[in-house]
Amino acid sequence: MEDPVQVKAYAEADFEIPHQQFIDRLQEFVAEPDFNGAALDLGCGPGDICVRFAKAFPLSTLDAVDGSEAMLEYAKTFTAPIKDRIRLIHGRLPFVILPQQFYAIILSNSLLHHLPDPLALWQTIKRYAKPGTRVAVMDLLRPASREAAAALVETYASHEAEILRRDFYHSLLAAFTLEEIEAQLRETELPLRIEQISDRHVFIKGIIP
C-alpha cells in the first residue's frame, strides 16, 4: 500500500474496535502484564497496533515491520511519544532481515490477506520464533460471496471514505477461509489454534513448542 491517498485513508480510518479487541485478546493470551521482552509486529501499518501494544506492555520493546515506506511515515508520527521502545523497520516478508534472532511475542494484524504468498507470514514467524514464543495473528475471513462482502462493507464501513470502502471490499475477497488457513499452518508445521471471533475476523494463536 504505497499510494498516498490510499495510505492516508487507511491511517485515518476508525479501527478502534477491532484493534482494541486484538490487543485485549493478546493480553489475555500472554497473561503477563509485566512482560519485558522483545516483541515483533509483522505488517505494522501506520502504527496504531504498535502504540496499543506498547501501552498494554509498558516494559516491552517492539520491532515493527512493514513493506510500505508511506505507512511507516505515518507510524513515525503515531509512535513518536514512545519511539524509544518501538523500532520501525522497512522490509517485505519473507526477505526482511531483523535485528534480533528471536522474539518472545510475534503478532500480526491484517497482513495475511495482503501477501502474494500467504506462507511468507508463517515462514517468517517460524524463522524468528523459539520454543516458548507466543504467536497471535488476526486477519479477515473471506465471506461466502461477493454479495456477503458488500453487505459487510455497508455494515462496518458505510461512514468511511470511498477508497477505504473499496479496499475493504477487495480485502474481504482476498482473505482466506478457515480451511485454507488450517492448510497453511499444516504446510508450515505451526501448531497454532484458529478461532473465528466475529463475522469477518479470525484469531490464530499458540505457543511454539
Side-chain angles (χ1 to χ4, degrees):
M1 193 179 290
E2 296 285 358
D3 177 64
V5 176
Q6 189 181 26
V7 170
K8 184 176 187 293
Y10 187 88
E12 296 178 355
D14 181 9
F15 292 115
E16 168 69 27
I17 293 176
H19 282 189
Q20 191 55 47
Q21 285 180 342
F22 177 64
I23 294 298
D24 290 345
R25 287 181 176 275
L26 179 61
Q27 283 183 286
E28 181 181 356
F29 170 49
V30 172
E32 191 181 335
D34 295 330
F35 170 76
N36 62 357
L40 173 63
D41 182 359
L42 297 173
C44 67
D48 182 58
I49 290 287
C50 298
V51 173
R52 292 175 189 269
F53 179 89
K55 290 179 178 178
F57 300 98
L59 303 180
S60 68
T61 60
L62 179 68
D63 284 349
V65 178
D66 203 90
S68 167
E69 291 185 352
M71 278 292 190
L72 290 176
E73 286 301 312
Y74 271 92
K76 288 178 184 178
T77 301
F78 283 131
T79 61
I82 45 176
K83 63 181 179 180
D84 58 317
R85 293 199 291 120
I86 298 176
R87 182 162 43 188
L88 300 174
I89 300 167
H90 179 243
R92 296 183 181 273
L93 277 53
F95 310 108
V96 62
I97 303 299
L98 299 176
Q100 292 203 187
Q101 186 176 7
F102 301 114
Y103 292 86
I105 297 174
I106 301 179
L107 58 141
S108 180
N109 177 64
S110 294
L111 174 65
L112 183 61
H113 70 271
H114 283 292
L115 297 171
D117 178 7
L119 297 186
L121 174 62
W122 310 118
Q123 291 164 349
T124 304
I125 288 172
K126 285 190 71 173
R127 179 179 178 183
Y128 288 101
K130 62 180 179 180
T133 294
R134 285 157 285 192
V135 176
V137 174
M138 190 166 82
D139 210 274
L140 295 172
L141 279 173
R142 189 170 75 245
S145 66
R146 291 178 178 269
E147 292 76 16
L152 288 171
V153 173
E154 287 304 311
T155 299
Y156 296 106
S158 60
H159 59 291
E160 298 290 357
E162 179 58 32
I163 190 171
L164 191 74
R165 289 163 52 84
R166 182 201 67 193
D167 286 348
F168 183 30
Y169 175 74
H170 288 297
S171 289
L172 286 166
L173 297 182
F176 299 97
T177 64
L178 292 172
E179 294 75 18
E180 288 168 341
I181 297 172
E182 288 171 350
Q184 294 165 17
L185 294 175
R186 284 195 301 271
E187 184 169 348
T188 50
E189 299 180 325
L190 278 170
L192 305 178
R193 298 188 300 277
I194 305 173
E195 178 187 2
Q196 182 172 344
I197 59 172
S198 78
D199 55 359
R200 65 201 188 283
H201 288 114
V202 60
F203 191 74
I204 305 144
K205 67 180 181 180
I207 300 175
I208 301 300

